[in-house]
Amino acid sequence: MIHDKEYRIADQLTPAIGKEPILSLAKTFDVFMADRIDTTVLLLWGGIDTAKESVLDHLAYHLHVDAYDASYPIEVKRRMVKQSIPIHKHKGTPFAVKTAIATVYESGQLEEWFSYDGEPYRFRVSGITAPLTGAPDIQRLVTLINSAKNKRSWLDYVQFKRDIQAMEYVAGAVGVAKHLVVNSDLSTTLHVGMTEYASAAVAQATTITINTTLNNDI
């Protein structure tokens, strides 16, 4: 692997060919290409973290990265290229499926049938917290899983997990109505054990009518 950004062909010639006129030709070529070649692209594997998207697309093609999608964000593409060799090496195992899922979704748990009382040779994928924008996302995930699993295992379903935080406001009004009926019987004498104070005022008005007969001599 080439790490020297100052790589020159003339410096790498073997003794058998490092002679004139080949040596001069190599030096001339180095000068000509110095401003035309970005030597960082020569560090393909070591430069994945900084490689351009077009370079990642070419690497994915040549490494036969399964379920590679040109619409994925560039960071997803980097992870897929990085993990392509381990996934191919362990293809058909739970490790390969888990790794393939993690390259795209960074979360997700693979559960085999005996852990959730399912049918033999079946499994499910749960706990995916990545955004779900629609049916194409699910289809891409299923394609990714199928590319890494073995032929005898069958995917039951995938489950996306969502944690929703919300504030709940509750308002209410309480009304109380009482209907009070008081029955009393005033026909009987009531004896109330209490001290009573009473005061009274008496006013008397008398009308007197005097009937008289007068003598005309007066």
Side-chain angles (χ1 to χ4, degrees), residues 93-136:
T93 67
F95 170 83
V97 177
K98 293 177 183 178
T99 304
I101 295 171
T103 59
V104 179
Y105 294 96
E106 297 187 84
S107 65
Q109 181 180 1
L110 179 111
E111 299 176 89
E112 298 190 63
W113 64 273
F114 48 80
S115 65
Y116 63 94
D117 197 26
E119 296 294 330
Y121 305 112
R122 292 184 173 272
F123 67 97
R124 67 183 181 184
V125 176
S126 61
I128 297 177
T129 58
L132 176 62
T133 59

Side-chain angles (χ1 to χ4, degrees), residues 30-68:
D30 287 337
V31 173
F32 176 77
M33 297 300 296
D35 298 329
R36 293 171 173 80
I37 294 181
D38 182 3
T39 56
T40 58
V41 301
L42 299 177
L43 310 178
L44 293 179
W45 195 258
I48 291 177
D49 290 333
T50 56
K52 298 178 181 178
E53 191 164 6
S54 58
V55 174
L56 296 174
D57 291 339
H58 284 295
L59 283 173
Y61 174 79
H62 289 289
L63 292 171
H64 303 285
V65 178
D66 295 321
Y68 188 86

Side-chain angles (χ1 to χ4, degrees), residues 45 69 78 149 153:
W45 195 258
D69 195 316
R78 294 191 201 281
K149 74 175 185 66
S153 297

